[in-house]
Amino acid sequence: MEWQPDEQGLQQVLQLLKDSQSPNTATQRAVQQKLEQLNQFPDFNNYLIFVLTRLKTEDEPTRSLSGLILKNNVKAHYQNFPPAVADFIKQECLNNIGDPSPLIRATIGILITTITSKGELQTWPELLPQLCNLLNSEDYNTCEGSFGALQKICEDSSELLESDALNRPLNIMIPKFLQFFKHCSPKIRSHAIACVNQFIIGRAQALMDNIDTFIESLFALATDEDSEVRKNVCRALVMLLEVRIDRLIPHMHSIIQYMLQRTQDPDENVSLEACEFWLTLAEQPICKEVLSGHLVQLIPILVNGMKYSEIDIILLKGDVEEDEAVPDSEQDIKPRFHKSRTVTLQHEGGEGEEGEDVDEDDDDDDDTLSDWNLRKCSAAALDVLANVFRDELLPHLLPLLKGLLFSPDWVIKESGILVLGAIAEGCMQGMVPYLPELLPHLIACLCDKKALVRSIACWTLSRYAHWVVSQPPDSHLKPLMTELLKRILDGNKRVQEAACSAFATLEEEACTELVPYLSFILDTLVFAFGKYQHKNLLILYDAIGTLADSVGHHLNQPEYIQKLMPPLIAKWNELKDEDKDLFPLLECLSSVATALQSGFLPYCEPVYQRCVTLVQKTLAQAMVRTYRARQLVLKTGNELPRVTQSMYNQHPDQYEAPDKDFMIVALDLLSGLAEGLGASVDQLVARSNIMTLLFQCMQDPMPEVRQSSFALLGDLTKACFPHVKPCIAEFMPILGLNLNPEFISVCNNATWAIGEIAMQMGSDMQPYVGLVLNNLVEIINRPNTPKTLLENTAITIGRLGYVCPQEVSPMLQQFIRPWCTSLRNIRDNEEKDSAFRGICMMIGVNPAGVVQDFIFFCDAVASWVSPKDDLRDMFYKILHGFKDQVGEENWQQFSEQFPPLLKERLSACYGV
């Protein structure tokens, strides 16, 4: 007997569905409770599917809602459905996939794919054959509904469809889909391409076997009148460019011609999809070769795409000029993620580690409109192409730029300024001759009456900050800085934000060049404190922190401290411990404390205490959560020793989310205090339980917490070792366990801390060398280890060898070569000095360990610009000792292998 609903039960379910559409929160809550009660009855789900598929008299929204509630039940409880209920639901789905209503068909499709995502593709063997069969139906609704369901299954289960577990159904499905590329209905053609597109990136074998047919079929649809079909054709070509460029190369000329047309498609969804083609092509080695002849057409199209559309302008409130008094709505504020401290070394040429700290959103001029659109895609494409073609792009651009930059129409002028910013990185060399004339024009645009022109001018000028700083300060730096500071106090919030970000970039480039203007800069930044709404305040903290990082101890003047600290401390006192705005403020204070050094002393006690409290609170909350989890375990009888994030996800009512960011940021600020105040931090540490807290933080399951803990441990070791020393026996085994390069930054900071501890412990380090040495030697020999980690590992091995040469030198031969190559580019400094002393002492104990790689040692020695006299003597002795040992003739042969520069330096500095 087929299942039939009870009339009264059916009416009850329908009433519930009606109530759940009510806007009243109390009604909504009652509905939730009722749903939970009804879920106790297995056949409640039969009622839901019955309403969806059979009650054609009900209105569509109610039927669809019934299906969506069922979908949620399937997601949460499917494994508890009795087989009869599951079978009834499956059967009803397949029988009604061709419902006359598009909304109901789509809902059934979603329901089918939710069931399959529960691992049901294997236990529902008739599903795929039946859906594929239904594609042949004469009835349009049945064909479209089946395709809709298949498209969702292809999206959700693409890998499974290719697996042996299901006997590779794709082998049948792909050829089947390809037949429908010629269907008379555009909706069906679009479904067919969308289904096949799911298998391009994963290079599904069934698709690769039919690749030529697929590409031919795409070409046949190139000029389809339906925009959804054209969009899917463009998407397919973009993905094929990534995975099967070999198949596209023979047709590349016509594909490029086609994409040039589509990038100008009247439908923005199509033009955006086509514009992605240029971004992807720029990453391919053949880009220059195939695109050179087309730049003359492509560049004007991309430039044209960079204009704001009318919709953009409405969304961005482009006509609102002054909005600084309008409070920000909370959803405008993107969540900020704190970047934990990573200890790095200075390189020759003075820059930090390249490539590891790049701002990802550098090119994002209008990120509040964070949906990807044609303007952004065109700008990004121009940016990457400028990096491929460099100055060869300029002959195509410069003639256009003049018309854009001086246009009376602000929308066109704005797009011209964006173009200048987009090409800044790639075409810098070729732009240099024009910059002396262009820069004053751009600076003038900072005063344009249109806020969107002022804000883009800020961004573009920041892209040329490097060049500005390389000129005499009065020529461009001073006028740029003066105008940017005015814009920081603009009446428009978007301009404030752009100016603040641009100024932070200028600070990073200019560094101490800004010192003469500090008073003026601080007046502006402090004035902005009273003016800014919530969102821009967070950016202002960043600009102040960057200023402190850039000018360092030059900020430590009573006059500057007097301007800067009162408003920062006022904000600090205003914010509660639970307020997320503490993150950027703590980061900012951390930079300020490091820069002010002793100047921060009057403010350090309350700041220090609060940081310790934040760490303690977060640890205590974690303990409470663990305790509650145990309570829950006792109630449910499952054995679960620790509360985890996933338990929080399952029982959010019983736990607050573990928010460890407060602890991480607080640890980083404590690091800043220890680094800035040095020995003066001693009293604060003595009066607090920070070492106990640090012991717990170093064992936290979250890598970022450990990363910041080890940075703090290293800084406290340098600042007040007597407080650290009693804990070394407990701390060292934890440090040893964290020498795991799977977590690069954790490993890096643990390595650095071990080196700092070794320098303080001296020969007392002996019992601990065994805990860490093998791991360090393994890390330095690993392929593809990031430069920062290699350098810190080399420094630490050297320092261990300096304090315990007898223990470390037996392994010399295993690390000497990578040790030398990783330290040759480091600037002369204390860390490099101690590490090289260690190597010299180990060579003294085990000279045989260096013999095979002596040329690398020579090269590393030559990387010193001015070693201290006694270190120079150590180098001298080793070089001459080796030369005497092998004899003049052998030395001559050996030194023949040296590059000329190395030969010269060793001869000049050490007489060998």
Side-chain angles (χ1 to χ4, degrees), residues 810-856:
M811 293 188 79
L812 187 58
Q813 193 175 345
Q814 292 176 43
F815 60 73
I816 185 71
R817 181 186 287 201
W819 190 95
C820 292
T821 50
S822 42
L823 289 188
R824 63 187 304 279
N825 296 322
I826 302 283
R827 278 196 194 172
D828 295 8
N829 61 20
E830 287 304 314
E831 293 176 313
K832 183 171 174 177
D833 179 276
S834 54
F836 271 84
R837 285 171 194 273
I839 274 294
C840 292
M841 292 177 73
M842 289 188 273
I843 292 174
V845 177
N846 176 17
V850 76
V851 170
Q852 284 181 323
D853 296 303
F854 198 70
I855 185 167
F856 291 94

Side-chain angles (χ1 to χ4, degrees), residues 894-906:
F894 175 65
S895 60
E896 281 309 308
Q897 311 165 43
F898 291 179
L901 195 67
L902 174 59
K903 219 170 177 175
E904 226 171 89
R905 285 195 77 160
L906 289 179

